């Protein structure tokens, strides 16, 4: 090692970590028997009156009719939650459908999606299911909580209204139990033709009793989870050659010193349509927000104003934190995937102080 003209040098290392639910009488013509007969007749009239009142009440509750009353959604994406942190959204898909609403009298309707439903076809509790529903063209909408959970109340004008319904379905990693192959389906309370309930649109506030359903929304066919596995190999440390302070001439400067390194993954069970890659932890992003720059340690003997930038040499661009970074696939779908990278110094502040430059980031394998 030799010094620059000021006798100051930079040296560095980077650590990569791997992160791989009434009284009756006897029959006859006696007075007492007649009284009993009259009582029965009166009971009959009372019963009839109750039926008429029920019919009149139903008529008074004229509500919005929805066409179609059954909405089936088909998912197109795959889920694999076995290699991501708990809480990560491992599946998200959004659909839009046009509904025809014919409203009179009570013009309100209530959407109540599924929340925290468990999923079939995998190890229990490893994934949680959530959905959201929004309706357009309402005159007003308010949110509330009933005995059965959150709901949104919409008010529509009298007459015929076209409404765009937006449905979003999410799956979140809930535990470290590994997922298995096959169909993964949200378990709402009801099913229809082997499809699973995503949400209902009610004619009254959903509570402990069953309200009148105007429309039901189902996820048809479920979502496939592949039995893919990848063994990730990450170098524990990458050492970059020193760089003279004189080569840091302004924010964004990248001196010549750099180091190439490779992340590899031995994969099996990969199928057509899956995306295989690695991602770098969002939490390691440098405060400057510079592209692909990870934060460095601060303190005595540590350099200031300098970060470590990681370049995906396959794309030729700095990494995007949290995003899937592609690499070089094997000749077939299964085998060794390589993700060649480069780490280099990157000036993040106007003033640079000499010292050791060290940084750490977490590398996660993703195949989805």
């Amino acid at each position: 090692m030799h010094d620059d003209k000021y006798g100051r040098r930079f040296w560095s290392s980077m650590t990569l970590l791997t992160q791989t639910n009434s009284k009756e009488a006897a029959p006859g013509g006696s007075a007492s028997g007649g009284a009993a007969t009259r009582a029965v007749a009166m009971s009959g009239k009372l019963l009839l009156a109750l039926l008429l009142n029920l019919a009149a009440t139903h008529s008074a509750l004229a509500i919005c009719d929805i066409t179609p009353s059954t909405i089936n959604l088909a998912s197109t994406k795959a889920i694999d939650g076995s290699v991501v942190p708990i809480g990560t959204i491992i599946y998200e898909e959004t659909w839009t459908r046009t509904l025809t609403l014919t409203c009179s009298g009570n013009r309100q309707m209530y959407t109540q999606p599924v929340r925290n439903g468990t999923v079939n076809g995998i190890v229990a509790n490893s994934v949680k299911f959530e959905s959201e529903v929004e309706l357009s063209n309402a005159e007003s909408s308010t949110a509330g909580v009933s005995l059965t959970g959150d709901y949104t109340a919409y008010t529509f004008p009298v007459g015929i209204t076209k409404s765009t319904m937006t449905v979003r379905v999410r799956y979140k990693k809930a535990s470290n139990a590994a997922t298995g192959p096959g169909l993964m389906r949200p378990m709402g309370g009801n099913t229809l033709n082997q499809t699973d309930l995503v949400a209902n649109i009610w004619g009254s506030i959903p509570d402990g009793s069953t309200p009148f359903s105007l429309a039901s929304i189902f996820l048809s066919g479920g979502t496939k989870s592949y039995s893919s596995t990848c063994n990730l190999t990450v170098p524990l440390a990458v050492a970059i050659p020193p760089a003279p302070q004189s080569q840091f001439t302004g924010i964004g400067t990248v001196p010549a010193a750099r180091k190439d390194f490779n992340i590899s993954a031995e994969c099996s069970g990969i199928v057509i349509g899956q995306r295989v890659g690695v991602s770098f932890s969002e939490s390691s992003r440098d405060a400057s927000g510079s592209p692909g720059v990870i934060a460095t340690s601060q303190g005595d003997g540590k350099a200031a104003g300098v970060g470590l930038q990681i370049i995906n040499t396959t794309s030729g661009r700095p990494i995007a934190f949290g995003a899937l970074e592609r690499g070089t696939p094997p000749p077939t779908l299964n085998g060794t995937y390589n993700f060649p990278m480069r780490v280099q110094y990157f000036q993040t502040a106007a003033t640079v102080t000499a010292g050791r430059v060290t940084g750490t980031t977490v590398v996660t394998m993703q195949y989805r």
Side-chain angles (χ1 to χ4, degrees), residues 20-215:
T20 42
N21 53 215
S22 119
K23 176 179 177 183
E24 291 194 22
S30 68
S32 60
T37 303
R38 286 193 296 276
V40 172
M42 289 176 65
S43 296
K45 291 178 181 178
L46 179 60
L47 179 60
L48 179 60
L50 286 172
L51 290 173
L52 288 174
N53 283 337
L54 285 173
T57 301
H58 183 74
S59 176
L61 285 176
I63 55 181
C64 299
D65 291 325
I66 299 179
T67 303
S69 59
T70 299
I71 299 99
N72 286 304
L73 309 173
S75 62
T76 64
K77 299 182 179 181
I79 298 176
D80 189 341
S82 60
V83 295
V84 295
I86 293 173
T88 301
I89 296 174
I90 56 177
Y91 168 90
E92 182 172 337
E93 192 161 3
T94 302
W95 299 263
T96 58
R97 295 291 185 271
T98 299
L99 305 180
T100 300
L101 284 58
T102 305
C103 298
S104 61
N106 184 346
R107 301 171 290 118
Q108 280 197 320
M109 58 184 62
Y110 305 82
T111 62
Q112 189 171 43
V114 170
R115 287 289 185 272
N116 294 328
T118 56
V119 179
N120 282 330
I122 58 171
V123 177
N125 298 325
S126 62
V127 174
K128 290 291 186 181
F129 162 75
E130 295 180 353
S131 60
E132 295 177 1
V133 177
E134 291 184 357
L135 301 174
S136 70
N137 296 333
E139 292 180 337
S140 64
S141 64
T142 58
V145 180
S146 72
L147 295 178
T148 56
D150 298 342
Y151 66 85
T152 302
Y154 295 85
T155 302
F156 285 88
V158 172
I160 299 176
T161 303
K162 294 287 186 180
S163 177
T164 299
M165 178 182 69
T166 301
V167 182
R168 180 168 65 176
V169 172
R170 289 174 167 173
Y171 290 85
K172 290 185 179 180
K173 178 73 173 291
S175 79
N176 282 322
T179 61
L183 296 179
M184 293 170 52
R185 304 156 78 88
M187 293 179 63
N190 303 311
T191 60
L192 177 67
N193 298 327
Q194 303 302 312
T195 59
D196 296 300
L197 182 66
V198 170
N200 270 320
I201 302 177
W202 305 114
S204 60
I205 295 175
D207 53 23
S209 60
T210 303
F212 182 68
S213 179
L214 300 174

